[in-house]
Amino acid sequence: MKTQAKFAILGMAVLLAAGWAHAQGKISDGIVKIGVLTDLSGAYSGNVGPGSVLASKIAVEEFGGKVLGKPIELVSSDHLNKADVAASRAREWIDRDQVDVVTELGNSAVALAVMNIAAEKHRMTMVTGAGATRISSESCTPTNVQWVYDTYALAKVGTLPLVESGVKSWYFITADYAFGHSLENDGMRFIKEGGGKVLGSSRYPFPGNDFAAYLLAAQSSKADGVAFASAGADLQNEIKQANQFGLTGKQKIVAMLMSITDVHGVGLDAAKNMHFAESFYWNMDDETRKFAQRFYKEAGKMPTALQAGQYSAVLNYLRAVEKAGSDDVADVMKALRAMPIHDAFARHASLRADGKLIHDMYVVSVKAPQQSKEPWDYYNIVKTVPGDQAFMPLSESKCALLKP
């Protein structure tokens, strides 16, 4: 009897130990490390940058600071909008510092460079700030997700309703690099598919300051709509200068990618009545307001869609690690694709096989100054576009991961 009791106790101890080990999960080096590689000082720093670092911090704090009993550590760095700088930092983070996931990557050239390095080293990337469609199409990798938007969705949601409303002829002013080209190409496609036509385009070297020549070319084209395929500080300068040249009175100015920070920067009087595609608005409902007020408390401004998307990406990465019981990238990717995704940013969301997060998008219009009832009350949501209507269908994707 004594021997049987000893075996029974020993067996119970083994089971308890196994259960405890499972609850703790498999964390490769005893810590989950998240690297936020972003534009901290350049043209896009207002849309991502310090705000994306803060959004990541909020997600970690909301999750509880630990996952599977192990601490979560956040590191950040400035990629200076240079792919070589980003690639060097990513290699250093992965090889020396054991970073598990590199995220934000708010520049398409940067994202494309870093996601390939991460795939080679069996680490994860979560692109929240870069929008080139190829990131989850022909350049997709098995360890990358594109979380917030792409130029296909921005162009489709941002141009088709305007073409249908009578803005039939267009002229593009485009940032001359991967993101700008992708936004221009996708925009031209949907304008033509909607029955419109493109009269011309001008490409400027990024970053830009003086847009006079490009704006005069757009003005002389007499196009119904002038599309700015750019973002951040460049976009704000374009809008201000377009007002100075009088384009806004005769032609429809369309931002292919605009954020609430851009609206704040140029002011409601300059931006009023502009329509564009958005993926988040802070004043949409109780969930968005709760996150936004937490962000505002530390940042002194409301979050952009890209910053809200960064919060969502980090939060769901941690949820996936917990669900998988592991920080191994294959386990995390499998968990992300299987689990429901809903938070202050992501609505009706799911992660596809090509790594693209499919979620609701919105057509918004900028309020006139007299319509705004409180600070940062800038948008009217004109239309909600379900993700399966906004994003590229899998049938059009060139992602090799979709092949049998």
Side-chain angles (χ1 to χ4, degrees):
M1 290 293 290
K2 289 182 179 179
T3 302
Q4 288 178 336
K6 284 181 180 178
F7 277 117
I9 292 168
L10 179 61
M12 186 174 292
V14 169
L15 288 172
L16 287 171
W20 180 85
H22 178 75
Q24 291 295 299
K26 187 180 71 174
I27 301 301
S28 54
D29 58 350
I31 188 169
V32 172
K33 190 172 288 189
I34 300 167
V36 184
L37 191 53
T38 186
D39 177 1
L40 292 172
S41 57
Y44 300 148
S45 58
N47 289 345
V48 288
S52 287
V53 177
L54 172 59
S56 303
K57 176 187 168 189
I58 293 171
V60 171
E61 290 175 352
E62 184 176 313
F63 195 79
K66 289 185 177 183
V67 59
L68 298 172
K70 303 298 182 183
I72 303 163
E73 183 178 336
L74 201 64
V75 294
S76 62
S77 186
D78 194 341
H79 57 52
L80 304 177
N81 287 304
K82 296 179 179 179
D84 58 340
V85 172
S88 177
R89 180 46 55 92
R91 289 184 187 278
E92 182 181 81
W93 271 356
I94 293 169
D95 293 340
R96 187 192 70 185
D97 300 330
Q98 300 299 305
V99 166
D100 297 292
V101 55
V102 182
T103 182
E104 207 286 295
L105 302 169
N107 174 303
S108 292
V110 162
L112 290 163
V114 173
M115 57 192 263
N116 286 320
I117 292 169
E120 291 170 9
K121 296 179 177 293
H122 196 62
R123 297 296 171 89
M124 190 170 173
T125 43
M126 302 186 84
V127 178
T128 62
T133 303
R134 63 179 294 183
I135 288 169
S136 51
S137 185
E138 60 263 44
S139 297
C140 71
T141 74
T143 64
N144 180 66
V145 300
Q146 189 172 25
W147 201 261
V148 176
Y149 74 111
D150 63 19
T151 56
Y152 180 104
L154 288 178
K156 185 176 182 181
V157 175
T159 60
L160 271 180
L162 291 174
V163 175
E164 291 166 356
S165 71
V167 184
K168 295 295 185 181
S169 60
W170 293 69
Y171 191 95
F172 277 78
I173 299 177
T174 303
D176 192 8
Y177 77 115
F179 168 76
H181 300 171
S182 184
L183 198 51
E184 179 187 81
N185 291 338
D186 287 330
M188 288 181 175
R189 168 188 169 174
F190 291 113
I191 288 166
K192 293 172 183 176
E193 287 185 4
K197 59 184 178 179
V198 179
L199 302 182
S201 68
S202 297
R203 290 184 173 180
Y204 70 88
F206 169 81
N209 292 305
D210 184 0
F211 297 94
Y214 313 113
L215 291 167
L216 289 171
Q219 192 173 47
S220 64
S221 76
K222 294 182 169 54
D224 299 328
V226 178
F228 295 149
S230 53
D234 283 13
L235 175 63
Q236 292 184 37
N237 285 329
E238 286 171 315
I239 293 171
K240 290 174 183 176
Q241 292 174 35
N243 274 273
Q244 292 169 5
F245 280 93
L247 271 72
T248 53
K250 299 179 181 179
Q251 294 169 297
K252 184 74 175 176
I253 303 300
V254 180
M256 300 298 289
L257 171 60
M258 193 166 188
S259 75
I260 197 164
T261 303
D262 297 321
V263 175
H264 188 78
V266 301
L268 288 180
D269 196 50
K272 65 180 181 292
N273 301 321
M274 290 183 69
H275 284 65
F276 51 92
E278 261 288 21
S279 52
F280 171 86
Y281 179 44
W282 74 269
N283 205 16
M284 190 167 71
D285 58 30
D286 288 343
E287 271 188 290
T288 59
R289 284 187 284 271
K290 181 180 178 182
F291 164 70
Q293 293 296 342
R294 168 74 176 83
F295 184 96
Y296 184 87
K297 186 177 179 180
E298 290 197 40
K301 61 180 182 178
M302 288 301 176
T304 66
L306 300 183
Q307 290 159 350
Q310 176 68 14
Y311 157 84
S312 171
V314 171
L315 183 63
N316 283 283
Y317 170 77
L318 295 171
R319 289 173 175 171
V321 170
E322 183 175 63
K323 181 178 176 64
S326 166
D327 63 353
D328 180 81
V329 63
D331 295 336
V332 174
M333 290 292 289
K334 183 178 179 180
L336 270 174
R337 289 195 174 99
M339 68 189 215
I341 296 173
H342 178 97
D343 52 59
F345 168 82
R347 303 302 169 87
H348 307 104
S350 60
L351 187 66
R352 287 195 323 202
D354 58 355
K356 190 183 298 295
L357 185 74
I358 305 302
H359 56 83
D360 288 351
M361 294 284 291
Y362 312 97
V363 180
V364 303
S365 66
V366 179
K367 293 182 175 182
Q370 62 271 23
Q371 296 174 309
S372 180
K373 304 303 181 187
E374 61 180 307
W376 297 89
D377 176 30
Y378 293 163
Y379 293 170
N380 288 311
I381 296 179
V382 177
K383 183 179 182 181
T384 298
V385 182
D388 60 356
Q389 296 177 30
F391 290 92
M392 177 189 288
L394 284 176
S395 59
E396 291 186 34
S397 177
K398 298 176 183 177
C399 176
L401 300 175
L402 304 176
K403 295 180 180 178

